[in-house]
């Protein structure tokens, strides 16, 4: 710091570097004893027999070294991902914290001389290394509270965390308004169906650990908890049928899954893999009852769900209580005026009109026939 004060920072650093290299040369030529800043005593350890180490000990040593290396490289990769996301404006609030000081420093360099800039930078580095950092290292609570650089670095996200953060924000935008679910009266066309679906809504006072884990797995807010009652209680076991996969490959064609229903999402996750997804109810275009395997008896136990923006539909087969699940989805759709429920009402209304038109023809022709008989 004194060298910065007198304007000899760069010559002083070069002089220290030359002196250190000169001392190293004299030590290598054995002209002077080794010079160190801190005295250290060498511990003389007894030599160990190389053959005394067993195979298990060698394996543990190798495993420990590999684990340490993996952790170090993982931390390095996380740091590089954080720096990349910071520079690529993945989160504008974080990048603004360094963009504004950089703009100020650039403007300062246009009006200040090089000697003044070196003086200011030297003083800042000296104050940072010899005053601020020792205080932060000794008192971690003060560091957490006042060290903006440390807080900025801790708040940066890796690629996996950024993907989770983006998915959570996207899910927050697809949440249905809770007031709309509960404000409609039975006289508005929903009737008892809406009251039954409203009774399924989870209470805001009860939040179990299982519900927290569920919301964390699917990147949902805490209000989007699974329904505590109804056909989807505890998750409905089913088989997720993939139409694009070959029927011969059973593991690729059918995957065991569990269906969950929240006030705004239909969630499914595979039992044996980490594949999971939350389908927004607002993005569902059509829900129909299906029978993928036509030669089997019965009406089938599958639901086909067509989502907006996806070419292939979601088919959930082997669904016990399919009619109850279908009715619950339709009740929630009618209560929120969703697309798939409106489309179902239009189709069912058109079928009723066609049936009534056919009966009207019969009614119109029957009196004429009766009159002709009397004539």
């Amino acid at each position: 710091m004194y060298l910065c004060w007198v304007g000899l920072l760069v010559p002083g650093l070069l002089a220290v570097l030359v002196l250190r290299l000169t001392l190293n040369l004299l030590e290598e030529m054995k002209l002077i004893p080794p010079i160190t800043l801190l005295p250290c005593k060498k511990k003389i350890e007894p030599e160990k027999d190389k053959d005394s180490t067993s195979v298990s000990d060698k394996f543990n040593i190798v495993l420990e070294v590999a684990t340490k290396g993996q952790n170090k490289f993982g931390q390095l990769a996380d740091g590089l991902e954080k720096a990349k996301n910071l520079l690529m404006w993945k989160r504008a609030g974080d990048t603004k914290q360094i963009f504004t000081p950089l703009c100020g420093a650039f403007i300062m360099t246009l009006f200040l001389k090089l000697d003044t800039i070196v003086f200011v930078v030297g003083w800042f580095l000296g104050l940072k290394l010899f005053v601020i950092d020792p205080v932060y290292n000794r008192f971690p609570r003060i560091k957490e509270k006042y060290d903006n650089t440390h807080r900025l670095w801790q708040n940066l996200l890796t690629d996996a965390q950024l993907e989770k953060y983006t998915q959570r924000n996207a899910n927050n935008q697809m949440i249905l308004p809770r007031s709309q679910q509960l404000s409609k009266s039975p006289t508005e066309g929903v009737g008892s169906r809406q009251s039954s679906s409203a009774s399924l809504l989870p209470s805001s006072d009860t939040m179990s650990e299982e519900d927290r884990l569920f919301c964390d797995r699917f990147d949902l807010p805490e209000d989007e908890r699974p329904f505590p009652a109804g056909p989807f209680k505890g998750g409905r076991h089913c088989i997720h049928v993939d139409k694009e996969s070959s029927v011969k490959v059973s593991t690729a064609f059918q995957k065991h899954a569990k269906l969950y229903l929240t006030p705004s999402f239909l969630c499914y996750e595979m039992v044996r893999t980490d594949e999971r997804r939350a389908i927004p109810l607002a993005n569902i275009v059509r829900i129909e009852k299906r029978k993928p395997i036509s030669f089997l008896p019965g009406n089938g136990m599958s639901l086909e769900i067509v989502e907006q923006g996806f070419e292939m539909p979601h088919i959930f087969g082997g669904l016990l209580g399919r009619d109850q699940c279908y009715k619950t989805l339709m009740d929630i759709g009618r209560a929120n005026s969703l697309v798939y429920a409106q489309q179902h009402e239009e189709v069912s209304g058109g079928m009723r009109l066609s049936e009534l038109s056919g009966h009207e023809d019969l009614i119109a022709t029957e009196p004429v026939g009766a009159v002709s008989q009397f004539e």
Side-chain angles (χ1 to χ4, degrees):
M1 297 178 68
Y2 175 75
L3 294 177
C4 293
W5 180 262
V6 297
L8 298 176
L9 176 62
V10 176
L13 293 177
L14 295 177
V16 171
L17 182 60
V18 171
L19 178 61
R20 182 69 258 184
L21 292 177
T22 304
L23 293 176
N24 292 340
L25 176 62
L26 296 177
E27 292 176 5
E28 184 67 22
M29 298 175 63
K30 298 182 180 180
L31 298 177
I32 59 174
I35 300 176
T36 56
L37 297 178
L38 298 176
C40 58
K41 297 181 180 180
K42 294 184 179 180
K43 296 182 179 180
I44 301 176
E45 298 180 356
E47 295 183 359
K48 296 183 179 179
D49 189 5
K50 296 181 180 180
D51 298 335
S52 61
T53 306
S54 61
V55 177
S56 61
D57 294 338
K58 293 180 180 179
F59 176 78
N60 292 332
I61 293 173
V62 172
L63 182 62
E64 183 180 358
V65 173
T67 303
K68 290 182 179 179
Q70 184 180 9
N71 294 336
K72 292 295 183 182
F73 281 112
Q75 294 175 1
L76 178 61
D78 291 343
L80 293 177
E81 289 180 356
K82 288 183 176 182
K84 182 200 70 172
N85 295 331
L86 177 65
L87 298 178
M88 296 301 294
W89 290 83
K90 295 300 182 180
R91 287 206 305 179
D94 296 337
T95 310
K96 285 181 181 179
Q97 296 185 27
I98 65 168
F99 182 74
T100 303
L102 285 177
C103 292
F106 171 72
I107 295 174
M108 184 180 65
T109 56
L110 298 177
F111 299 97
L112 298 179
K113 296 181 180 180
L114 180 61
D115 297 340
T116 306
I117 296 174
V118 172
F119 175 78
V120 172
V121 172
W123 265 98
F124 175 76
L125 291 178
L127 187 65
K128 175 72 174 173
L129 295 176
F130 300 105
V131 178
I132 298 177
D133 285 349
V135 174
Y136 284 162
N137 294 333
R138 185 175 180 83
F139 304 101
R141 292 185 179 180
I142 297 178
K143 181 177 182 179
E144 293 290 339
K145 187 175 181 179
Y146 296 103
D147 193 355
N148 296 328
T149 305
H150 175 73
R151 289 204 308 269
L152 173 63
W153 183 256
Q154 293 295 327
N155 292 331
L156 292 179
L157 303 180
T158 61
D159 290 345
Q161 294 172 346
L162 182 64
E163 182 179 0
K164 194 177 183 68
Y165 173 80
T166 305
Q167 184 62 39
R168 185 179 291 271
N169 288 341
N171 290 338
N172 290 338
Q173 297 177 0
M174 302 305 299
I175 294 177
L176 300 176
R178 190 64 57 86
S179 59
Q180 184 179 358
Q181 296 178 1
L182 303 176
S183 61
K184 292 185 179 180
S185 61
T187 59
E188 295 183 16
V190 180
S192 60
R193 295 189 183 94
Q194 187 218 341
S195 60
S196 62
S197 63
S199 63
L200 296 176
L201 293 176
S203 175
S204 58
D205 298 334
T206 59
M207 183 65 178
S208 62
E209 185 65 23
E210 185 178 357
D211 292 338
R212 288 192 180 89
L213 294 176
F214 174 86
C215 295
D216 185 67
R217 289 201 312 270
F218 288 95
D219 301 326
L220 298 177
E222 293 184 355
D223 293 338
E224 290 296 321
R225 304 192 294 273
F227 285 131
F232 291 94
K233 179 182 179 181
R236 177 67 65 176
H237 286 275
C238 64
I239 296 176
H240 186 266
V241 182
D242 189 359
K243 280 189 173 182
E244 295 181 349
S245 302
S246 175
V247 181
K248 298 180 180 179
V249 185
S250 59
T251 56
F253 177 68
Q254 299 176 349
K255 298 179 181 179
H256 293 274
K258 290 186 71 175
L259 273 177
Y260 301 90
L261 183 63
T262 70
S264 303
F265 296 90
L266 179 65
C267 308
Y268 72 90
E269 64 177 348
M270 302 306 171
V271 175
R272 298 182 180 178
T273 61
D274 294 334
E275 183 181 355
R276 60 178 61 90
R277 190 166 180 273
I279 304 174
L281 296 180
N283 286 351
I284 296 178
V285 180
R286 187 174 71 254
I287 298 179
E288 294 182 356
K289 300 177 183 180
R290 288 298 183 186
K291 184 180 179 182
I293 305 176
S294 58
F295 58 83
L296 291 179
N299 297 326
M301 302 171 60
S302 302
L303 282 179
E304 181 180 277
I305 297 176
V306 180
E307 185 180 1
Q308 183 180 2
F310 289 82
E311 297 180 359
M312 302 300 298
H314 302 280
I315 300 179
F316 301 100
L319 192 61
L320 296 176
R322 180 195 64 175
D323 295 340
Q324 290 81 1
C325 297
Y326 180 81
K327 180 179 180 299
T328 302
L329 291 172
M330 286 300 170
D331 291 344
I332 296 177
R334 294 188 189 98
N336 294 275
S337 301
L338 298 180
V339 177
Y340 67 87
Q342 294 177 356
Q343 185 178 6
H344 179 266
E345 293 292 338
E346 293 176 359
V347 172
S348 59
M351 293 176 61
R352 286 195 295 267
L353 288 175
S354 62
E355 293 176 358
L356 290 176
S357 63
H359 289 300
E360 288 176 359
D361 295 338
L362 294 175
I363 295 171
T365 56
E366 285 178 359
V368 175
V371 173
S372 62
Q373 290 177 2
F374 284 108
E375 292 177 353

